[in-house]
Amino acid sequence: MTCRIALLFGALFFASPSTARNLGVKKTSTRVPPVLAPNCRNVQISLGNVSATNFDYRGIWEDHSDMDFNSWRDTMKVFYSCLDPENFVHDIPSDSYGLVVERNVTIHGIFCEPEVPVPYNERQIHLLIHDLTYDKSMWHGLGLPQYSLADALASGLKGSHTLAVDLWGHGDSHGETYPDPWQVLQPPFHVKTLHEIVKRLRRNQQGLWSAFENVTFVGHGFGAQLGALLLDEYPNDVNVFVGSGFPTGKLSRPYPTEWRLVPSISTDSKYAHQPLGYFAGELNSAADRENILYGGLYDLELAELDFVSQDTIAVGEVCWSGSFFSDMSIPEDSKFTGQVCVLAGEFDRVACGDLPWQVEGEACREKLQEVCNFTFPNSHLCNISVLEHTGKAWMLHKLGPQAISTIRSWSARGNSWGNLCTVLTPGAVRY
Ligand SMILES: *[C@@H]1O[C@H](CO)[C@@H](O)[C@H](O)[C@H]1NC(C)=O
Ligand SMILES: *[C@@H]1O[C@H](CO)[C@@H](O)[C@H](O)[C@H]1NC(C)=O
Ligand SMILES: *[C@@H]1O[C@H](CO)[C@@H](O)[C@H](O)[C@H]1NC(C)=O
Ligand SMILES: *[C@@H]1O[C@H](CO)[C@@H](O)[C@H](O)[C@H]1NC(C)=O
Ligand SMILES: *[C@@H]1O[C@H](CO)[C@@H](O)[C@H](O)[C@H]1NC(C)=O
């Protein structure tokens, strides 16, 4: 794995956007657990000990600043300086702060079987990996069946199995005590976890599934980035890779202050047990989240539901490689040879535009093509698609139900719908 890290030394000069500290803990939502289709069920995948070489962030910050890890203010400053790669001035050799972390991991997921059983040798599975500030339910329409891509993929005569998981430290995957947001929740550890999940998909798992020959990895945002890192390290893990909302911005856009992320414990009582270092959108920041993640055609209620069901983002996830928006953390020249599809909503401010007013179709196509050229030059087929009338969280826009109806109608006829790339090709989806 390519490991690069950049770090702001000296003064932490970022002005904190706000202090929600005195607001007290209020409930933004009581998250209603998604109603699962009859062919879907909650599963727990015990991975045993997973180990990875992460970065010793606590060590780095202790050595280079008088950071107090129990300080709300200091944690905010580090978090916000990490959101903005322009703040980073020095590279740190990865070997001087390498840290081997080992944790006993159990991953929670939603596993769906095809609605109509398919012959054993035609079985395939879509492994669905969520973005940061989301969990597995993003693939299940946040609980709304008409937006559930995972259900649609499992429908009809050519349904696929689907497995939408919660990354470690997100959704229900956190064990008895939440993992350390600095030392554990970093891409190298997530990648090892995904590798362990895929290994299990390839083998019979008593009570869960029997071995899959074809695995399609579908990642959104951070999930796509993790997928690219996974394939960089393990090019034979999956057969097809679909990455949407890839962070391609050269600069930090949206602006760090637009997110209004604050320590999660101040936002919702469901995060009461999260340590300092987990962040979520401030109580009154629903409109900001909508501005960043939505655009084009969508239902306002979805944007509202999106806000109240938001998951968190850990400081280790943001600080790794400078910024998770930074294209520095996208690997170069992966040996992966399978089919790749790179997608983004035309109004995706992270994947499509460096500046909000520069977001446009043609420029976005070029950016996505660069991902093919830069990261997947060995893929035998790397397709790109700019999704029209949609922002970043495309599966939760009007496009979602439209794509779902295309998938369902192709699958009902027994036509292989190929992969999401084909379905989401402009022209295939009708408005
Ligand atoms: C991990 O935890 C599970 C359940 O708590 C336990 O059964 C298993 O032995 C543990 N594995 C390791 C390697 O510690
Ligand atoms: C699992 O990891 C824990 C924490 O590092 C360690 O104490 C334990 O010995 C490990 N167990 C096995 C079976 O490797
Ligand atoms: C798996 O996918 C490959 C193409 O990537 C295809 O040739 C093969 O038939 C598929 N196998 C199964 C079991 O579906
Ligand atoms: C990608 O590579 C192709 C073939 O080498 C080249 O023609 C094209 O200009 C490149 N596109 C971008 C955006 O880098
Ligand atoms: C994918 O790209 C190939 C050429 O690189 C093209 O022939 C094919 O039609 C594209 N498929 C889709 C679904 O866009």
Side-chain angles (χ1 to χ4, degrees), residues 381 383 421-422 425:
L381 191 58
N383 283 96
C421 194
T422 323
T425 298

Side-chain angles (χ1 to χ4, degrees), residues 119-124 212-215 239-240 338-339 380:
Y120 184 83
N121 61 354
E122 288 172 23
R123 294 158 70 252
Q124 61 169 324
F212 292 100
E213 236 176 83
N214 273 16
V215 177
N239 302 81
V240 176
Q339 188 183 345
H380 74 271

Side-chain angles (χ1 to χ4, degrees), residues 49 102-104:
N49 273 1
E102 185 171 46
R103 293 292 184 279
N104 188 352

